[in-house]
Amino acid sequence: MLFRSWSPTEPVADMSCIGIDVGYDTAVVAIARRGGIDVLANEVSKRTTACMVGFTDKERKHGEAALSGITSNIKNTVTGLKAVIGKKYHSEEIQNEITKVAYNMTESLGNVTIPVSLKGEENVMTPEKCMSMMLKTMAKIAEADQSAPVHDCVLSVPAYFTQAERHAMLDAAKIVGLNVLRLMHDTTAAALSYGIYKTDLPADKATNVVFLDMGASDTTVSIVSFVKGKLSVLSTACDRRLGGRDFNELLVDHFRNEWLEKHKIDAYTNAKAMFRLRTAADKQKKVLSANANAPISVECFMNDIDVKGVMERDHFATMCEPLFEKLQKVIQRAFDGCGLPMEEIASVEVLGGSVRIPAVQEMLAKFFGRECSKTLNFDECVAKGSALQCAMLSPAFKVRDFSVNDVSMYPIALSWTSSSGAAEGGGEGMEVDGDEKADAPAPKTGSNTVVFAKFNTVPNTKMLTFYRKDTFTLTAAYSDEAMADQPSGFPQRINEYTISNIPPGPLGDDGTPGPAKIKVKLRLDIHGCLELESAVAIEEELVDEEPPPDRKSVV
């Protein structure tokens, strides 16, 4: 048995552990039970739920209810929540998203706000508040199944999420009273769902597996090493703008141009027409997965004009060549990060809805020189892995021993200033004492010291030693290398910590106190978020000890 309840006498309500996978288009919830993991169906008996929230003159609508009325309520329906949460308004990501959604986004103190009309009144929503509604919708599916409240959960997030995006997800869960035991990377959750059932893994030799997740909006490739009872993520590479909707946009642009020339109507000038075109293009893409050609038609598209067209699968594959090149680059970056040759890969596991595209599978088979494995359920494995992790972290279940070692994608550097404001970078006055994982000493870059390197294990702790007389400020920020991997508009600074009330240090030869020895403990927590755990002044005292008396030998 995979796991059993820790105490059969505990009420069911205390033993509910769920995993929620929030994607761009859909969300999935899975629950841990005494017999295993189950993916739950929503109120319309679907195992995937539309990831959107709508606002009307009468009520708020979430999930499938919002989807059913989106055509007539398009400007008051917030979609693609994962793409807007935790980002600044002027970031490249938000400015790109604005062109693809029908609802409005505005700026407030640099952050994104979403004006909507609810019950006849204008309301301003934040992405965090909208995400909280979606999370509560998924939790209610589990509550309806259990007939009891659900509190503990594990949320899946993309590996490329920054500190701001992670904190925003935690804030969204907190709004609706969900206790997040862990933010888990999508591909790591899939790897757990894959590996925990592999009872034949050798203990003395690693089995390396590639997990490729191509969803609606992004792509992640992780290379994971398995041994008996343990998985370790070796490297991860992501592309925030490579997913199913990018394939859709190729069809959208093609037929927009075709109908502009033929009917003199431009879909880009009408939000509702663009939504209908994108919906039709997504349907056509799915039909092309099983057929050599597929039609597209939209009645009363614009100006009461009916439009139609046909796309050949071979022509569509040719149009997708630039996207395939981007996918190959992501895979190559993952291999560059771990240094493994292709020959040491035992399997290539694919997941995410977009890997259903035949041309994608053909490209992957050619790149890896083998057919990709489809062991996992494309849509449900992330939610199931998240629910497994929730059961492992919860005291309500005893799960088969299995260790999960994840990594952070972005290097984090420290710089520091004295109370006078003078910079004191370059590593002077600071020592990295190592960490609980016994990693190599952190390298130094420019005026900053990289404390948590790329692919640092998570969770992880570093102990830093400073010698200071006065108050000083530590600034944690992503390194220049990390910023090069992110779209423009993301803040580089993560947080500032002020260390004050520093006691006098040991007396020097001239009788004046010198700098105090300060031990600062920084930690990348289980969510991949940086926090300062403690800052302690160490007082060292020299004690003269008399030598022990000589002992005479007795013959």
Side-chain angles (χ1 to χ4, degrees):
M1 182 181 290
L2 176 62
F3 58 83
R4 59 182 175 82
S5 20
W6 182 257
S7 173
T9 61
E10 292 181 4
V12 174
D14 293 337
M15 294 175 8
S16 297
C17 292
I18 64 172
I20 302 176
D21 172 23
V22 180
Y24 183 88
D25 283 337
T26 59
V28 182
V29 60
I31 191 166
R33 308 183 194 273
R34 296 180 183 178
I37 304 294
D38 289 330
V39 174
L40 302 179
N42 57 29
E43 70 277 11
V44 294
S45 301
K46 292 174 61 178
R47 292 158 74 94
T48 60
T49 301
C51 192
M52 59 182 67
V53 293
F55 305 89
T56 70
D57 291 337
K58 296 182 179 180
E59 60 184 343
R60 294 184 319 198
K61 294 184 176 182
H62 310 146
E64 295 299 307
L67 177 63
S68 64
I70 189 173
T71 304
S72 59
N73 193 40
I74 190 168
K75 291 188 177 180
N76 277 307
T77 302
V78 184
T79 59
L81 302 176
K82 185 176 81 169
V84 296
I85 191 168
K87 300 173 179 66
K88 295 295 183 182
Y89 179 80
H90 290 291
S91 67
E92 185 179 344
E93 290 292 281
I94 293 298
Q95 295 305 308
N96 177 66
E97 191 68 18
I98 287 175
T99 65
K100 291 182 169 58
V101 298
Y103 60 91
N104 294 324
M105 286 189 242
T106 55
E107 178 189 6
S108 176
L109 302 176
N111 298 316
V112 177
T113 52
I114 303 169
V116 296
S117 177
L118 174 61
K119 296 181 179 179
E121 297 181 359
E122 291 297 319
N123 285 263
V124 177
M125 299 291 173
T126 63
E128 290 78 13
K129 189 175 292 186
C130 293
M131 178 63 80
S132 71
M133 298 173 193
M134 193 63 220
L135 293 178
K136 187 61 178 177
T137 299
M138 303 311 293
K140 282 184 175 180
I141 295 174
E143 290 173 355
D145 178 83
Q146 293 288 288
S147 299
V150 171
H151 300 290
D152 291 347
C153 70
V154 167
L155 304 181
S156 71
V157 296
Y160 59 74
F161 259 23
T162 62
Q163 300 275 315
E165 291 166 301
R166 293 170 190 272
H167 281 296
M169 285 294 293
L170 293 172
D171 290 344
K174 188 176 181 179
I175 290 173
V176 290
L178 285 175
N179 178 33
V180 181
L181 302 184
R182 181 171 194 172
L183 293 181
M184 194 173 195
H185 295 162
D186 298 335
T187 48
T188 307
L192 174 59
S193 184
Y194 170 88
I196 199 168
Y197 296 100
K198 295 284 185 180
T199 57
D200 57 344
L201 290 171
D204 55 347
K205 183 181 179 182
T207 301
N208 302 312
V209 180
V210 174
F211 290 88
L212 189 149
D213 179 8
M214 179 178 276
S217 65
D218 53 23
T219 296
T220 301
V221 179
S222 291
I223 299 178
V224 182
S225 173
F226 292 93
V227 294
K228 186 176 182 180
K230 179 181 178 181
L231 73 82
S232 299
V233 180
L234 303 180
S235 66
T236 298
C238 305
D239 192 322
R240 289 174 177 259
R241 294 193 194 170
L242 178 59
R245 66 173 181 169
D246 295 283
F247 290 89
N248 293 351
E249 287 300 308
L250 294 175
L251 295 172
V252 168
D253 291 341
H254 172 83
F255 288 108
R256 176 258 179 181
N257 294 330
E258 180 179 308
W259 297 335
L260 176 61
E261 181 179 351
K262 184 176 180 180
H263 301 290
K264 303 298 185 288
I265 52 176
D266 188 356
Y268 287 174
T269 62
N270 187 300
K272 185 174 289 189
M274 279 301 298
F275 172 77
R276 297 179 68 197
L277 175 54
R278 287 191 168 105
T279 302
D282 184 61
K283 181 179 179 180
Q284 184 184 45
K285 179 189 68 176
K286 293 174 182 178
V287 173
L288 283 172
S289 297
N291 298 275
N293 58 68
I296 185 173
S297 63
V298 184
E299 293 183 358
C300 297
F301 182 60
M302 287 180 65
N303 303 334
D304 292 328
I305 298 175
D306 299 336
V307 293
K308 60 182 179 179
V310 177
M311 175 60 65
E312 302 290 333
R313 182 199 283 182
D314 292 341
H315 181 49
F316 181 53
T318 302
M319 293 166 56
C320 295
E321 286 295 336
L323 299 181
F324 297 152
E325 292 177 6
K326 291 182 68 176
L327 178 56
Q328 291 180 17
K329 290 178 180 178
V330 179
I331 300 170
Q332 192 58 54
R333 287 205 307 271
F335 274 93
D336 292 343
C338 69
L340 287 179
M342 197 80 70
E343 295 74 25
E344 294 188 21
I345 299 300
S347 176
V348 179
E349 299 290 334
V350 293
L351 57 142
S354 298
V355 296
R356 292 186 173 93
I357 301 174
V360 172
Q361 296 183 25
E362 292 171 7
M363 189 281 294
L364 292 175
K366 183 178 179 180
F367 184 89
F368 288 105
R370 72 181 87 177
E371 292 294 325
C372 294
S373 177
K374 302 171 186 175
T375 307
L376 301 168
N377 184 297
F378 292 172
D379 301 319
E380 300 175 0
C381 61
V382 174
K384 293 180 73 172
S386 299
L388 270 170
Q389 178 72 108
C390 191
M392 294 164 71
L393 296 173
S394 171
F397 290 89
K398 183 169 179 61
V399 185
R400 178 189 302 156
D401 290 337
F402 200 90
S403 175
V404 179
N405 295 332
D406 208 347
V407 297
S408 61
M409 277 194 61
Y410 305 123
I412 298 176
L414 278 186
S415 60
W416 49 95
T417 57
S418 65
S419 57
S420 62
E424 301 181 47
E428 297 177 4
M430 188 194 84
E431 299 172 2
V432 182
D433 295 350
D435 57 65
E436 295 174 356
K437 300 296 183 183
D439 289 340
K444 296 173 182 177
T445 58
S447 62
N448 298 324
T449 298
V450 175
V451 178
F452 294 97
K454 187 174 184 179
F455 301 143
N456 215 116
T457 52
V458 174
N460 193 276
T461 300
K462 300 279 187 181
M463 187 72 78
L464 313 176
T465 303
F466 292 86
Y467 296 90
R468 291 290 183 274
K469 292 183 179 181
D470 304 314
T471 297
F472 64 101
T473 300
L474 293 176
T475 300
Y478 289 117
S479 70
D480 293 339
E481 176 191 355
M483 295 307 294
D485 292 337
Q486 298 182 24
S488 63
F490 281 84
Q492 185 166 5
R493 188 174 69 88
I494 297 172
N495 211 339
E496 285 188 354
Y497 309 101
T498 299
I499 314 298
S500 58
N501 299 324
I502 297 175
L507 297 178
D509 295 337
D510 58 356
T512 59
K517 185 177 182 179
I518 311 295
K519 290 279 190 179
V520 176
K521 192 174 185 180
L522 286 174
R523 181 172 177 80
L524 272 178
D525 65 16
I526 197 168
H527 307 303
C529 297
L530 182 70
E531 60 180 13
L532 188 147
E533 283 198 349
S534 62
V536 180
I538 305 297
E539 185 177 349
E540 297 178 346
E541 183 179 350
L542 296 177
V543 179
D544 294 330
E545 294 185 358
E546 295 183 2
D550 294 337
R551 295 182 180 179
K552 295 182 180 180
S553 59
V554 179
V555 180

